[in-house]
Protein backbone atom coordinates (compact mmCIF):
# COMPACT_ATOMS: atom_id res chain seq x y z
CA UNK A 1 0.00 0.00 0.00
CA UNK A 2 1.23 3.52 -0.79
CA UNK A 3 1.76 5.64 2.33
CA UNK A 4 0.80 9.02 0.88
CA UNK A 5 1.54 11.01 4.04
CA UNK A 6 5.26 10.20 4.00
CA UNK A 7 7.43 13.18 3.11
CA UNK A 8 10.87 11.70 3.88
CA UNK A 9 12.62 8.33 4.02
CA UNK A 10 15.92 8.23 5.90
CA UNK A 11 17.89 5.63 3.99
CA UNK A 12 21.15 5.96 5.93
CA UNK A 13 20.37 6.76 9.56
CA UNK A 14 23.04 7.38 12.17
CA UNK A 15 24.40 4.54 14.26
CA UNK A 16 22.05 5.57 17.08
CA UNK A 17 18.91 6.58 15.16
CA UNK A 18 16.69 6.53 18.23
CA UNK A 19 18.31 9.79 19.40
CA UNK A 20 16.89 11.53 16.29
CA UNK A 21 13.32 10.30 16.79
CA UNK A 22 10.48 12.78 16.37
CA UNK A 23 6.71 12.62 16.26
CA UNK A 24 5.44 11.16 12.99
CA UNK A 25 8.40 8.78 12.60
CA UNK A 26 8.25 5.02 12.12
CA UNK A 27 11.05 2.46 12.11
CA UNK A 28 11.24 0.60 8.81
CA UNK A 29 12.62 -2.94 8.87
CA UNK A 30 10.82 -5.52 6.74
CA UNK A 31 7.77 -3.30 6.38
CA UNK A 32 5.47 -6.29 5.84
CA UNK A 33 2.90 -4.83 8.23
CA UNK A 34 3.78 -1.17 7.81
CA UNK A 35 2.83 -1.19 4.12
CA UNK A 36 -0.24 -3.37 4.60
CA UNK A 37 -2.48 -0.72 6.17
CA UNK A 38 -3.05 3.02 6.14
CA UNK A 39 -0.70 4.96 8.42
CA UNK A 40 -2.12 8.52 8.32
CA UNK A 41 -0.18 9.68 11.37
CA UNK A 42 3.24 8.98 9.80
CA UNK A 43 5.45 11.56 8.09
CA UNK A 44 8.89 9.96 8.03
CA UNK A 45 10.32 6.44 7.72
CA UNK A 46 13.73 5.51 9.14
CA UNK A 47 15.24 2.49 7.41
CA UNK A 48 16.89 0.30 10.03
CA UNK A 49 18.02 -2.29 7.49
CA UNK A 50 20.81 0.06 6.41
CA UNK A 51 22.46 -0.25 9.81
CA UNK A 52 25.36 -2.75 10.16
CA UNK A 53 23.58 -5.11 12.55
CA UNK A 54 24.78 -8.70 12.25
CA UNK A 55 21.74 -10.94 11.78
CA UNK A 56 23.00 -13.96 13.75
CA UNK A 57 25.97 -14.10 16.12
CA UNK A 58 26.55 -17.49 17.78
CA UNK A 59 29.00 -17.64 20.67
CA UNK A 60 29.78 -19.73 23.75
CA UNK A 61 27.24 -17.70 25.71
CA UNK A 62 24.42 -18.25 23.23
CA UNK A 63 22.91 -16.70 20.11
CA UNK A 64 22.53 -13.01 19.40
CA UNK A 65 19.87 -12.18 16.81
CA UNK A 66 19.86 -8.72 15.28
CA UNK A 67 16.37 -7.22 15.24
CA UNK A 68 16.60 -6.80 11.45
CA UNK A 69 17.48 -10.47 10.91
CA UNK A 70 15.04 -11.78 8.31
CA UNK A 71 12.93 -14.87 8.81
CA UNK A 72 14.74 -16.39 5.84
CA UNK A 73 18.12 -15.92 7.54
CA UNK A 74 16.87 -17.44 10.79
CA UNK A 75 15.32 -20.39 8.95
CA UNK A 76 18.61 -21.10 7.16
CA UNK A 77 20.69 -20.95 10.35
CA UNK A 78 22.36 -24.24 11.30
CA UNK A 79 22.88 -24.29 15.08
CA UNK A 80 25.75 -26.18 16.73
CA UNK A 81 25.02 -29.83 17.41
CA UNK A 82 24.62 -29.42 21.17
CA UNK A 83 21.98 -26.67 20.72
CA UNK A 84 19.24 -29.28 20.43
CA UNK A 85 16.55 -26.64 21.03
CA UNK A 86 17.62 -25.08 17.73
CA UNK A 87 15.00 -27.22 16.00
CA UNK A 88 12.48 -24.65 17.21
CA UNK A 89 13.92 -22.03 14.84
CA UNK A 90 12.46 -23.72 11.77
CA UNK A 91 9.28 -24.78 13.52
CA UNK A 92 8.54 -21.19 14.52
CA UNK A 93 9.45 -19.78 11.11
CA UNK A 94 7.00 -22.22 9.54
CA UNK A 95 4.28 -21.00 11.92
CA UNK A 96 4.04 -17.62 10.15
CA UNK A 97 0.78 -16.67 8.51
CA UNK A 98 2.60 -15.65 5.34
CA UNK A 99 4.08 -16.91 2.12
CA UNK A 100 7.68 -18.09 2.24
CA UNK A 101 8.36 -15.19 -0.13
CA UNK A 102 7.62 -12.76 2.70
CA UNK A 103 10.41 -14.37 4.73
CA UNK A 104 12.94 -12.46 2.63
CA UNK A 105 11.65 -9.16 4.04
CA UNK A 106 9.90 -9.91 7.33
CA UNK A 107 12.17 -9.54 10.35
CA UNK A 108 12.45 -11.21 13.72
CA UNK A 109 12.28 -7.86 15.51
CA UNK A 110 9.30 -6.69 13.50
CA UNK A 111 7.26 -9.75 14.44
CA UNK A 112 8.11 -9.27 18.11
CA UNK A 113 7.28 -5.56 18.10
CA UNK A 114 3.91 -6.16 16.44
CA UNK A 115 3.16 -8.12 19.63
CA UNK A 116 0.28 -10.13 18.23
CA UNK A 117 -0.76 -13.23 20.21
CA UNK A 118 0.16 -15.53 17.31
CA UNK A 119 3.60 -13.97 16.70
CA UNK A 120 5.87 -17.03 16.38
CA UNK A 121 9.07 -15.10 17.11
CA UNK A 122 7.52 -14.20 20.46
CA UNK A 123 6.83 -17.90 21.08
CA UNK A 124 10.40 -18.80 20.14
CA UNK A 125 12.18 -16.21 22.22
CA UNK A 126 10.03 -16.53 25.33
CA UNK A 127 10.30 -20.33 25.26
CA UNK A 128 14.08 -20.08 25.00
CA UNK A 129 14.31 -17.56 27.85
CA UNK A 130 15.69 -14.76 25.71
CA UNK A 131 16.32 -11.18 26.70
CA UNK A 132 15.80 -8.13 24.49
CA UNK A 133 18.21 -5.20 24.23
CA UNK A 134 16.31 -1.92 23.88
CA UNK A 135 17.72 1.43 22.77
CA UNK A 136 15.97 4.48 24.25
CA UNK A 137 15.73 7.97 22.68
CA UNK A 138 17.90 9.42 25.48
CA UNK A 139 20.79 7.19 24.36
CA UNK A 140 20.47 4.69 27.19
CA UNK A 141 20.28 0.94 26.75
CA UNK A 142 18.41 -1.60 28.82
CA UNK A 143 17.71 -5.32 28.78
CA UNK A 144 14.31 -6.88 29.44
CA UNK A 145 13.13 -10.47 29.75
CA UNK A 146 11.28 -11.56 26.61
CA UNK A 147 8.42 -12.70 28.86
CA UNK A 148 7.86 -9.14 30.09
CA UNK A 149 7.91 -7.40 26.70
CA UNK A 150 4.44 -8.16 25.35
CA UNK A 151 1.68 -6.88 27.62
CA UNK A 152 -1.43 -7.65 25.54
CA UNK A 153 -2.84 -8.02 22.05
CA UNK A 154 -0.74 -5.65 19.88
CA UNK A 155 0.68 -4.02 23.04
CA UNK A 156 4.17 -4.00 24.52
CA UNK A 157 6.47 -1.94 26.74
CA UNK A 158 8.06 0.10 23.93
CA UNK A 159 7.88 3.86 24.39
CA UNK A 160 7.84 6.17 21.33
CA UNK A 161 11.28 6.17 19.73
CA UNK A 162 12.58 3.08 21.52
CA UNK A 163 14.21 0.44 19.31
CA UNK A 164 14.45 -3.30 19.79
CA UNK A 165 18.10 -3.75 18.89
CA UNK A 166 18.91 -7.39 19.61
CA UNK A 167 17.57 -10.64 20.98
CA UNK A 168 19.91 -12.75 23.12
CA UNK A 169 19.17 -16.44 23.66
CA UNK A 170 21.32 -18.10 26.35
CA UNK A 171 23.25 -21.25 25.49
CA UNK A 172 21.81 -23.09 28.50
CA UNK A 173 18.30 -22.74 27.01
CA UNK A 174 19.52 -23.85 23.60
CA UNK A 175 20.82 -27.08 25.14
CA UNK A 176 17.44 -28.04 26.57
CA UNK A 177 15.20 -30.79 25.31
CA UNK A 178 12.04 -29.37 23.74
CA UNK A 179 8.54 -30.39 22.75
CA UNK A 180 5.96 -28.24 21.03
CA UNK A 181 2.36 -28.35 19.90
CA UNK A 182 0.54 -25.96 17.59
CA UNK A 183 -3.04 -25.84 16.36
CA UNK A 184 -4.54 -23.76 13.55
CA UNK A 185 -7.83 -24.00 11.70
CA UNK A 186 -6.03 -24.53 8.39
CA UNK A 187 -2.62 -25.94 7.59
CA UNK A 188 -1.08 -22.55 6.89
CA UNK A 189 -3.42 -20.54 9.09
CA UNK A 190 -2.84 -18.30 12.07
CA UNK A 191 -2.01 -20.19 15.26
CA UNK A 192 -4.94 -20.77 17.59
CA UNK A 193 -2.58 -22.05 20.29
CA UNK A 194 1.18 -22.57 20.26
CA UNK A 195 2.84 -24.28 23.24
CA UNK A 196 6.51 -25.07 23.85
CA UNK A 197 7.91 -27.11 26.71
CA UNK A 198 11.59 -27.35 27.64
CA UNK A 199 13.51 -29.54 30.09
CA UNK A 200 17.06 -29.10 31.34
CA UNK A 201 19.29 -32.12 30.59
CA UNK A 202 19.84 -34.28 33.64
CA UNK A 203 16.83 -32.87 35.51
CA UNK A 204 13.08 -33.38 35.64
CA UNK A 205 12.13 -29.70 35.50
CA UNK A 206 9.58 -28.26 33.08
CA UNK A 207 9.21 -24.82 31.57
CA UNK A 208 5.96 -24.52 29.62
CA UNK A 209 5.32 -21.47 27.42
CA UNK A 210 1.75 -20.77 26.32
CA UNK A 211 1.18 -18.38 23.41
CA UNK A 212 -1.30 -17.60 20.60
CA UNK A 213 -4.22 -18.67 22.79
CA UNK A 214 -3.40 -15.89 25.24
CA UNK A 215 -3.12 -12.13 24.73
CA UNK A 216 0.39 -12.22 26.14
CA UNK A 217 2.88 -15.07 26.65
CA UNK A 218 2.37 -17.15 29.79
CA UNK A 219 5.22 -19.15 31.34
CA UNK A 220 4.58 -22.00 33.77
CA UNK A 221 7.74 -23.16 35.58
CA UNK A 222 8.13 -26.35 37.63
CA UNK A 223 11.30 -27.45 39.44
CA UNK A 224 10.23 -31.07 39.02
CA UNK A 225 7.93 -32.57 36.42
CA UNK A 226 4.33 -31.99 37.61
CA UNK A 227 1.67 -34.65 37.53
CA UNK A 228 -1.28 -34.22 35.19
CA UNK A 229 -3.53 -32.72 37.86
CA UNK A 230 -0.98 -30.12 38.96
CA UNK A 231 -0.35 -29.05 35.39
CA UNK A 232 -4.06 -28.75 34.70
CA UNK A 233 -4.57 -26.65 37.85
CA UNK A 234 -1.76 -24.29 36.77
CA UNK A 235 -3.43 -23.75 33.40
CA UNK A 236 -6.81 -23.27 35.06
CA UNK A 237 -5.19 -20.53 37.18
CA UNK A 238 -4.42 -18.40 34.10
CA UNK A 239 -6.73 -15.35 34.47
CA UNK A 240 -9.85 -15.45 32.33
CA UNK A 241 -9.08 -12.08 30.72
CA UNK A 242 -5.73 -13.37 29.43
CA UNK A 243 -7.31 -15.91 27.09
CA UNK A 244 -7.68 -14.53 23.57
CA UNK A 245 -10.83 -14.42 21.45
CA UNK A 246 -10.96 -13.97 17.68
CA UNK A 247 -12.41 -15.86 14.69
CA UNK A 248 -9.77 -18.57 15.17
CA UNK A 249 -11.11 -19.63 18.55
CA UNK A 250 -13.01 -18.72 21.70
CA UNK A 251 -11.24 -18.47 25.07
CA UNK A 252 -12.87 -21.74 26.15
CA UNK A 253 -11.71 -23.53 23.01
CA UNK A 254 -8.18 -22.23 23.46
CA UNK A 255 -8.10 -23.26 27.13
CA UNK A 256 -9.26 -26.74 26.20
CA UNK A 257 -6.59 -27.09 23.50
CA UNK A 258 -3.94 -25.79 25.90
CA UNK A 259 -4.90 -28.38 28.51
CA UNK A 260 -4.80 -31.17 25.92
CA UNK A 261 -1.47 -30.21 24.33
CA UNK A 262 0.19 -29.37 27.66
CA UNK A 263 -0.45 -32.91 28.86
CA UNK A 264 1.05 -34.30 25.66
CA UNK A 265 4.14 -32.14 26.18
CA UNK A 266 4.38 -33.20 29.83
CA UNK A 267 4.36 -36.86 28.87
CA UNK A 268 6.88 -36.35 26.09
CA UNK A 269 9.34 -34.50 28.35
CA UNK A 270 8.94 -36.74 31.38
CA UNK A 271 12.27 -38.58 31.92
CA UNK A 272 11.89 -42.01 30.42
CA UNK A 273 8.89 -40.90 28.39
CA UNK A 274 8.50 -41.06 24.61
CA UNK A 275 10.97 -39.00 22.59
Amino acid sequence: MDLNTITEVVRRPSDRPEEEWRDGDAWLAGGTWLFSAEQPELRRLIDLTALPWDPLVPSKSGLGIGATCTIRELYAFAPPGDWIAGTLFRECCEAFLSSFKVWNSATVGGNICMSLPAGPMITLTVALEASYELWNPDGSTRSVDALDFVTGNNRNILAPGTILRRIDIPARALRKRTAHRRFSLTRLGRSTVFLVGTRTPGTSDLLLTVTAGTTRPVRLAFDTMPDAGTLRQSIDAIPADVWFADPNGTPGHRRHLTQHFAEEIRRQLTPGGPS
Side-chain angles (χ1 to χ4, degrees):
M1 174 176 289
D2 291 335
L3 302 182
N4 57 18
T5 62
I6 299 299
T7 60
E8 181 182 3
V9 178
V10 180
R11 294 292 187 186
R12 292 180 175 79
S14 67
D15 290 340
R16 296 294 302 229
E18 78 283 3
E19 298 180 11
E20 302 172 9
W21 174 269
R22 65 194 189 204
D23 290 342
D25 284 355
W27 305 122
L28 174 61
T32 54
W33 174 81
L34 190 63
F35 289 104
S36 71
E38 294 183 4
Q39 312 287 347
E41 74 283 2
L42 297 184
R43 300 293 179 270
R44 186 172 71 151
L45 302 179
I46 302 174
D47 187 358
L48 299 180
T49 63
L51 295 170
W53 294 352
D54 292 327
L56 296 155
V57 183
S59 68
K60 291 182 179 180
S61 61
L63 178 65
I65 305 175
T68 53
C69 173
T70 66
I71 304 307
R72 170 64 63 191
E73 289 170 320
L74 181 63
Y75 187 81
F77 176 67
D82 63 333
W83 287 5
I84 58 176
T87 57
L88 287 175
F89 296 156
R90 288 199 166 200
E91 296 292 345
C92 289
C93 288
E94 291 174 351
F96 267 88
L97 177 62
S98 66
S99 161
F100 70 91
K101 299 174 184 177
V102 177
W103 292 5
N104 293 318
S105 298
T107 61
V108 174
N111 186 251
I112 292 170
C113 291
M114 275 299 298
S115 301
L116 299 176
M121 296 297 99
I122 299 169
T123 306
L124 173 69
T125 55
V126 173
L128 294 182
E129 304 167 64
S131 61
Y132 299 161
E133 180 181 305
L134 306 182
W135 286 3
N136 300 313
D138 63 4
S140 63
T141 299
R142 64 183 174 126
S143 179
V144 301
D145 190 318
L147 179 66
D148 300 325
F149 182 81
V150 176
T151 58
N153 178 24
N154 200 212
R155 299 201 311 271
N156 57 50
I157 64 171
L158 288 178
T162 301
I163 293 176
L164 170 59
R165 166 62 183 89
R166 189 177 68 244
I167 300 98
D168 292 304
I169 302 176
R172 58 174 176 76
L174 288 162
R175 296 190 181 101
K176 288 188 173 186
R177 184 180 171 190
T178 67
H180 71 278
R181 297 291 189 276
R182 175 176 173 264
F183 178 86
S184 62
L185 296 179
T186 61
R187 181 175 176 272
L188 299 177
R190 186 183 299 274
S191 300
T192 300
V193 295
F194 196 168
L195 283 72
V196 177
T198 64
R199 177 168 65 83
T200 306
T203 77
S204 62
D205 65 357
L206 174 66
L207 192 69
L208 180 68
T209 299
V210 179
T211 62
T214 51
T215 58
R216 57 174 173 78
V218 174
R219 179 186 289 166
L220 303 176
F222 304 90
D223 293 332
T224 58
M225 190 65 65
D227 58 27
T230 300
L231 181 58
R232 176 173 288 275
Q233 289 174 2
S234 297
I235 295 171
D236 284 340
I238 296 174
D241 61 356
V242 173
W243 293 102
F244 188 48
D246 74 353
N248 295 286
T250 65
H253 177 56
R254 287 178 149 113
R255 183 187 296 107
H256 170 75
L257 290 172
T258 298
Q259 296 279 16
H260 175 76
F261 288 136
E263 174 58 15
E264 288 190 350
I265 288 172
R266 185 191 73 84
R267 291 180 181 180
Q268 182 175 340
L269 292 180
T270 295
S275 58

